[in-house]
Amino acid sequence: QVQVVESGGGDVQAGGSLRLSCRASGLDLDVFNMGWFRQAPGKDREAISCIAFTGRTTYYADSVRGRFSISRDTAKSTVYLQMNGLKPEDTAMYYCAAGAVCMTTGMPTSTYKYWGQGTQVTVSS
């Protein structure tokens, strides 16, 4: 049974940092691409970062490039999202998912199959 569980969210002031973790059980990170998404109230879900199953390809949305960094530890079946320089507009529910497509040019949300329940990030000004 596949299970994806996010953790590490919380409340932080603008300019601060958080590291989100995503533990995936029942699937192999050497087979699945892993992505991070976020959804703010009243907005569409946004694909923000992914790391390919090879570990050699990553993608960042323009909104987070240069501030966020994705990594993984295959031995722990865990993917991380280091978020620095947080802004109030980063406030959202953050989701981790396993899926089929992660390219340097994008990560179509529709190709992600296994989703976690999300972890809330709130950035105050």
Side-chain angles (χ1 to χ4, degrees):
Q1 181 180 355
V2 175
Q3 194 171 19
V4 177
V5 180
E6 305 94 337
S7 62
D11 297 340
V12 64
Q13 289 193 327
S17 298
L18 282 174
R19 188 177 80 156
L20 305 183
S21 298
C22 168
R23 189 169 190 288
S25 56
L27 59 84
D28 188 344
L29 295 193
D30 290 323
V31 174
F32 281 90
N33 303 304
M34 297 297 295
W36 285 97
F37 303 76
R38 67 185 181 186
Q39 188 166 20
K43 294 190 176 181
D44 292 336
R45 187 166 294 189
E46 178 187 14
I48 58 173
S49 184
C50 67
I51 185 164
F53 66 92
T54 60
R56 293 195 293 268
T57 297
T58 58
Y59 164 80
Y60 297 96
D62 289 344
S63 57
V64 305
R65 187 176 294 116
R67 299 187 299 124
F68 291 11
S69 177
I70 192 169
S71 62
R72 67 177 192 169
D73 184 335
T74 55
K76 296 181 178 180
S77 294
T78 301
V79 178
Y80 304 97
L81 186 69
Q82 178 66 44
M83 306 187 297
N84 300 325
L86 284 162
K87 305 175 182 180
E89 51 263 45
D90 293 319
T91 295
M93 184 71 78
Y94 283 70
Y95 298 91
C96 178
V101 180
C102 175
M103 303 178 293
T104 56
T105 54
M107 48 181 291
T109 302
S110 61
T111 67
Y112 283 75
K113 181 177 181 180
Y114 301 106
W115 291 81
Q117 293 300 306
T119 185
Q120 178 68 37
V121 172
T122 302
V123 185
S124 57
S125 57

